[in-house]
Amino acid sequence: MEILAHLHETQFLGTPAWFWLAFIVIVVAIMVFDLGFLHKEQKEISAKESFMLYGMYVAVAFAFGAWVWIARGSDSGLEFFTGYIIEQSLAMDNIFVIASIFTFLGVPRVYQHRVLFWGIIGVLLFRAILIGAGVALVQAFQPILFVFGAFLVFTGARMFFEVEQEDDLENNKILKFLRRHFRITPQFHGNKFFVEQEHAKTGKVVMYLTPLAVALIMVEIIDVIFAVDSVPAIFAITQDPFIVYTSNVFAVLGLRALFFALSAAMVRFRYLQFALALVLVLIGIKIFLVPLHIHIDTALSLVVTVSILAAGVAYSLWKTRGENGRATESPQTSEDS
């Protein structure tokens, strides 16, 4: 009882420590349930299972948001749900890039969940660092929000005009760096990230990265790059570290669960990027207004964001009607050795 009382009284980043502890327990529990129970056996995840898993994550996120609403008030609850929707929408583009990486590297679909699951560990760590740094900057020098706002407007405008460009992964700087500085096996070795093999020249047994490890590293780095765009966006809604971080994590967890359904229909959502670009621009403008003490209602921001995304989805589905769902297909089996 004394420990619980102490946690209730102790504050961490302006929030009672027991709130943070409850969040950590929930995240760890659903991840253990995901890997230890639902996907204990290596298997390919179908679109139906992906939707069901996504539904579970959304239900947990909404239950958590409802708890925040009750425990901390309607303002905090509304900020959580708005941040959750915004972060999930901006992370949508990240999913399509990850799908492109898997396709380019030929990652078998049966192993893609393993990469995405372990990638979540990096999300928890790196987003905590980025959000902590962002909150510290805003609290120390609020005019930094002008920079955040301008950056988001610029990013949104660039995304809008580059919507038809495709990533040239063969010339990707991350991939080139990995190939130049690490030993990488040409084939997959089951679900292993590392294997020991004899060096072709020295004959000594050394550690090699597998293509699965390359995929994981690229996914982690891409997530950090996308986080630089998406994390500042929620500062237009709130600068509360607890709301920013929890909404971020729940959004990413949900989208990773939805990956297998979305990747199966990538080509059907090609015009969604226009909507995401517009959302970024509007959020950039909103965050630019914060230091000027011009407040745009949080509920209005939520309605506008959802409306733009819904319009983007509807337009994409209408423009691509009659097209096949998947532009490219990853191999279903690996070259194990």
Side-chain angles (χ1 to χ4, degrees):
M1 294 296 294
E2 292 183 3
I3 296 176
L4 293 177
H6 179 69
L7 288 172
H8 186 78
E9 295 175 359
T10 302
Q11 298 281 316
F12 180 69
L13 297 177
T15 298
W18 73 276
F19 272 78
W20 289 101
L21 179 61
F23 167 70
I24 293 171
V25 169
I26 291 170
V27 171
V28 171
I30 58 179
M31 290 180 68
V32 169
F33 177 73
D34 186 335
L35 187 65
F37 179 74
L38 292 181
H39 302 106
K40 186 175 182 180
E41 296 181 1
Q42 200 85 25
K43 63 177 181 178
E44 179 181 338
I45 298 177
S46 65
K48 179 181 178 180
E49 184 179 351
S50 180
F51 276 122
M52 292 176 65
L53 190 59
Y54 175 68
M56 181 194 76
Y57 277 108
V58 169
V60 173
F62 270 71
F64 184 85
W67 174 59
V68 171
W69 191 301
I70 294 170
R72 300 189 58 181
S74 58
D75 288 342
S76 293
L78 189 58
E79 287 173 354
F80 174 85
F81 285 117
T82 304
Y84 175 77
I85 296 296
I86 288 175
E87 290 301 325
Q88 191 159 105
S89 63
L90 295 180
M92 191 80 71
D93 205 37
N94 192 2
I95 293 298
F96 299 140
V97 174
I98 292 173
S100 298
I101 291 173
F102 285 165
T103 299
F104 178 80
L105 295 175
V107 179
R109 287 175 61 82
V110 71
Y111 300 138
Q112 290 177 10
H113 177 267
R114 179 173 170 81
V115 174
L116 294 174
F117 179 87
W118 290 109
I120 290 296
I121 307 300
V123 169
L124 295 174
L125 175 61
F126 293 125
R127 298 230 170 187
I129 294 172
L130 286 173
I131 290 170
V135 169
L137 282 172
V138 171
Q139 291 179 348
F141 185 65
Q142 194 178 49
I144 194 68
L145 291 173
F146 288 129
V147 178
F148 288 169
F151 176 72
L152 291 177
V153 170
F154 170 76
T155 302
R158 186 183 62 183
M159 182 187 295
F160 187 87
F161 290 109
E162 293 181 354
V163 71
E164 294 297 335
Q165 294 187 9
E166 296 187 1
D167 295 315
D168 182 10
L169 289 176
E170 187 61 49
N171 294 312
N172 182 275
K173 292 181 179 179
I174 302 170
L175 185 58
K176 283 187 172 182
F177 177 86
L178 292 174
R179 286 174 170 173
R180 188 165 55 247
H181 292 88
F182 295 91
R183 294 180 290 268
I184 304 172
T185 62
Q187 70 283 328
F188 289 87
H189 292 261
N191 64 359
K192 296 179 180 178
F193 292 116
F194 306 95
V195 292
E196 290 186 341
Q197 289 185 345
E198 289 186 2
H199 193 279
K201 294 182 178 179
T202 64
K204 294 182 179 179
V205 176
V206 293
M207 189 72 71
Y208 278 78
L209 298 181
T210 68
L212 204 65
V214 173
L216 177 61
I217 294 170
M218 292 186 70
V219 165
E220 293 283 18
I221 295 176
I222 289 297
D223 183 79
V224 172
I225 293 172
F226 273 88
V228 172
D229 290 341
S230 65
V231 168
I234 198 175
F235 289 133
I237 307 301
T238 180
Q239 287 88 54
D240 183 336
F242 181 77
I243 300 297
V244 175
Y245 186 63
T246 55
S247 61
N248 235 273
V249 170
F250 277 118
V252 174
L253 283 172
L255 267 188
R256 292 292 169 93
L258 190 60
F259 171 83
F260 296 95
L262 285 179
S263 63
M266 286 175 59
V267 72
R268 296 298 308 278
F269 293 97
R270 73 167 70 109
Y271 297 100
L272 182 59
Q273 192 167 333
F274 286 118
L276 298 178
L278 182 57
V279 168
L280 267 180
V281 170
L282 293 179
I283 292 174
I285 294 172
K286 186 178 188 302
I287 203 171
F288 197 85
L289 296 176
V290 172
L292 300 177
H293 304 290
I294 300 174
H295 176 70
I296 298 176
D297 187 67
T298 302
L300 177 61
S301 298
L302 178 58
V303 171
V304 170
T305 300
V306 171
S307 299
I308 292 173
L309 291 173
V313 170
Y315 181 74
S316 290
L317 294 176
W318 177 73
K319 286 287 289 184
T320 60
R321 61 193 184 282
E323 296 185 17
N324 292 326
R326 183 178 297 153
T328 54
E329 180 76 54
S330 293
Q332 301 298 309
T333 57
S334 65
E335 296 180 52
D336 295 345
S337 65

